[in-house]
Amino acid sequence: MEEDNKPEGGMYDDIDTTDTPSGLPLPPVYERLKGIRTRTDLEVRATKYLKDTFTGFDGQEHPLRLRYYQIQGLMHLLAMDRFLLGDDVGLGKCRTLGTRVCTNLGMVTLSSMGPEVRESDTFYPLSQPTLVWTGWEWAPVKRFYAGGVKPTRKVTTRRGYQVEGTLVHPLWVRDSSEQEKFVPMRDISENSYLCLYRGTVDFPSVEPTLPVPSHEKFAASARAYSVPGILSPNLAALLGYIISEAWTNSANRVYITQDRILNEEVHDHIRSLCESEFGWVGNENSQHRDFSIHITSVYLRSYLEGLGVGLGLSATKSVPWPIFQATRESVAAFLRSYFDSEGSVYGDVVEVSSASEKLLQEVQNLLLRFGIVGTRKPKKVKGRAHIYWRLSLCGDDARKFGTYIGFATPRKAESLRLLMGKKSNPNLDVIPHARQLVRD
């Protein structure tokens, strides 16, 4: 029996006898149950049926100390021949705060679902009502649990997907017995096969609301722009271009590098989006106008920072937070712009590279929402000490990319169209330990 880290509190309501047929006596056990509920001196001792230890978050055995309401519940079970014991049990208390979970509000971090200041081993109400996708249905999240600092383990699959949790966090695994089951992270080995959920999940139906800086916070000389307070596919597309192409390591400007001679459609699209979303038109007469788009505005830079476009170089970039909470159309628009800028079609593979490991991890996870499975691996660049990262899509996953995301650039779109018409077998989408399935 594992210890349930639930706060002390009333687990039981008074027994309702309103449905007892008139004239029928209550069962004898009723008085005994009432006695159990009123006593304050109940104790339990270890037996061959009740363990006196439990496996903790650190993977070690610890003494099992039941809380008093749990002892009362156990005594209820022992007193009854037939029983149904209900309890609002807390489960899943073993993931890191940065983990993103699929909810009706989009892919949100666990930390955003609870308070900023948290006591260890404590339950809190949710920051707002939330449903979480369990793999087959939407289920309400009732409370937020802070477990404190615990030892964790990070597991990376052959295709680059990562999960981090405590040593007792269960993962769905297919083993050599040709069965799927939950296995604690402490027991995962290099030869384990993790099951990856690739089914498409409903996206939010409403775009997220965005923070808009007040013009009063800026100097009178700062130009005022009218910026969107709600995300849209056009703004998501512009964010995709900024994350992929812009130099953002400044508090008052953004430089989006895109050579108009090499990629006319993308360059003109970026300028068009800057005008439609921000009302910005600039560096038209600069000698560099066909090579880069210089947005010099402390107000617009502050707005972008509020959307998650932080200060930093390429290796520190990440997906802006509104994209994780966006509608299907806006997520697709962001990914299309990102791949239009940084992606390519090489042979039978759609590929994109980045200096930021975190960015490609997040792009990989966003693609998975469309049922697209990518392979993420490190990439050495000659003359660079920094490790770059490559994300590759091939076979049916490349074809799904063409169907759900695609390219806007005619040259890349044509290469993708030719790829989608080919038959290919990358030997990646296979079922391990399937001998009996083949025989059947």
Side-chain angles (χ1 to χ4, degrees):
M1 178 183 294
E2 290 191 359
E3 181 178 14
D4 178 18
N5 293 324
K6 177 178 178 180
E8 303 284 355
M11 180 169 108
Y12 308 103
D13 294 327
D14 288 335
I15 296 177
D16 185 0
T17 61
T18 56
D19 293 331
T20 302
S22 177
L24 293 181
L26 289 169
V29 74
Y30 178 63
E31 292 300 328
R32 186 175 178 187
L33 294 179
K34 286 175 60 179
I36 290 173
R37 297 177 58 166
T38 57
R39 287 182 57 178
T40 59
D41 58 346
L42 296 174
E43 295 181 357
V44 229
R45 296 182 179 85
T47 69
K48 64 178 181 179
Y49 302 109
L50 178 64
K51 292 178 59 177
D52 58 358
T53 63
F54 72 98
T55 305
F57 286 104
D58 57 1
Q60 304 297 316
E61 291 296 308
H62 298 274
L64 174 60
R65 299 182 182 88
L66 293 179
R67 292 175 177 173
Y68 194 73
Y69 83 93
Q70 294 169 326
I71 295 176
Q72 288 179 309
L74 181 59
M75 292 300 184
H76 268 69
L77 298 181
L78 294 175
M80 300 166 64
D81 294 327
R82 294 182 301 170
F83 49 79
L84 175 63
L85 178 64
D87 183 18
D88 183 15
V89 180
L91 299 175
K93 300 170 284 198
C94 43
R95 294 298 301 275
T96 56
L97 290 173
T99 300
R100 289 191 178 273
V101 292
C102 191
T103 74
N104 61 313
L105 305 174
M107 296 179 67
V108 302
T109 60
L110 287 178
S111 62
S112 68
M113 298 172 69
E116 293 185 6
V117 179
R118 297 174 284 265
E119 293 286 338
S120 178
D121 191 21
T122 306
F123 284 89
Y124 296 95
L126 293 182
S127 56
Q128 58 182 315
T130 306
L131 299 176
V132 65
W133 180 249
T134 65
W136 55 87
E137 65 177 355
W138 292 101
V141 180
K142 297 182 178 179
R143 287 182 294 175
F144 179 94
Y145 173 77
V149 179
K150 309 290 183 183
T152 63
R153 191 179 190 190
K154 181 182 290 185
V155 174
T156 304
T157 70
R158 179 168 59 97
R159 301 191 67 172
Y161 291 92
Q162 287 187 339
V163 58
E164 184 176 3
T166 61
L167 302 183
V168 295
H169 177 67
L171 297 178
W172 193 241
V173 171
R174 183 174 177 85
D175 61 18
S176 57
S177 68
E178 303 191 18
Q179 300 293 322
E180 288 89 27
K181 62 182 181 181
F182 282 111
V183 175
M185 289 191 73
R186 66 170 181 271
D187 296 331
I188 299 295
S189 67
E190 290 186 359
N191 296 321
S192 299
Y193 286 89
L194 304 187
C195 300
L196 182 68
Y197 183 81
R198 62 180 69 190
T200 56
V201 180
D202 290 341
F203 288 76
S205 58
V206 178
E207 300 284 11
T209 301
L210 309 176
V212 176
S214 171
H215 290 95
E216 298 176 355
K217 296 181 179 180
F218 299 87
S221 57
R223 180 176 173 179
Y225 289 90
S226 178
V227 294
I230 298 177
L231 188 68
S232 66
N234 277 346
L235 180 56
L238 181 55
L239 289 175
Y241 288 131
I242 290 174
I243 291 299
S244 59
E245 297 284 19
W247 179 78
T248 58
N249 197 25
S250 170
N252 59 12
R253 62 183 62 120
V254 173
Y255 291 167
I256 308 175
T257 304
Q258 186 58 250
D259 195 330
R260 192 172 188 274
I261 297 175
L262 299 177
N263 212 346
E264 179 180 356
E265 296 82 7
V266 170
H267 182 101
D268 290 348
H269 192 208
I270 295 173
R271 284 191 176 275
S272 173
L273 290 173
C274 288
E275 182 175 3
S276 66
E277 300 308 298
F278 300 155
W280 180 91
V281 177
N283 80 311
E284 293 278 342
N285 301 318
S286 168
Q287 61 177 336
H288 303 294
R289 76 163 308 280
D290 288 333
F291 177 71
S292 61
I293 301 164
H294 294 186
I295 303 176
T296 303
S297 167
V298 65
Y299 181 82
L300 290 179
R301 185 64 190 91
S302 176
Y303 173 71
L304 290 172
E305 188 170 4
L307 303 190
V309 182
L311 299 176
L313 301 177
S314 299
T316 65
K317 287 185 176 181
S318 60
V319 173
W321 66 263
I323 302 301
F324 289 107
Q325 301 177 28
T327 62
R328 183 186 187 93
E329 293 74 20
S330 288
V331 175
F334 172 85
L335 291 172
R336 187 179 305 113
S337 294
Y338 181 76
F339 274 83
D340 259 324
S341 297
E342 296 283 65
S344 63
V345 180
Y346 180 75
D348 296 337
V349 179
V350 177
E351 181 179 291
V352 66
S353 298
S354 175
S356 171
E357 180 182 10
K358 181 179 180 181
L359 175 59
L360 277 202
Q361 283 178 336
E362 294 175 336
V363 169
Q364 185 183 35
N365 289 332
L366 286 175
L367 288 169
L368 194 58
R369 299 204 66 190
F370 295 88
I372 302 171
V373 181
T375 300
R376 184 179 58 85
K377 292 185 177 181
K379 173 183 177 180
K380 284 285 188 179
V381 177
K382 188 176 181 179
R384 301 287 182 90
H386 179 75
I387 296 178
Y388 284 71
W389 295 86
R390 174 192 291 121
L391 179 63
S392 304
L393 311 174
C394 52
D396 285 341
D397 294 300
R399 285 184 275 273
K400 287 181 183 178
F401 176 85
T403 300
Y404 299 128
I405 310 299
F407 289 108
T409 308
R411 172 175 52 85
K412 294 182 180 180
E414 176 61 16
S415 297
L416 181 57
R417 185 187 68 80
L418 295 175
L419 182 156
M420 294 176 68
K422 297 180 180 179
K423 291 184 178 180
S424 58
N425 180 18
N427 200 30
L428 289 173
D429 195 8
V430 297
I431 301 176
H433 302 307
R435 180 176 302 178
Q436 190 60 45
L437 287 175
V438 174
R439 287 176 180 175
D440 294 343

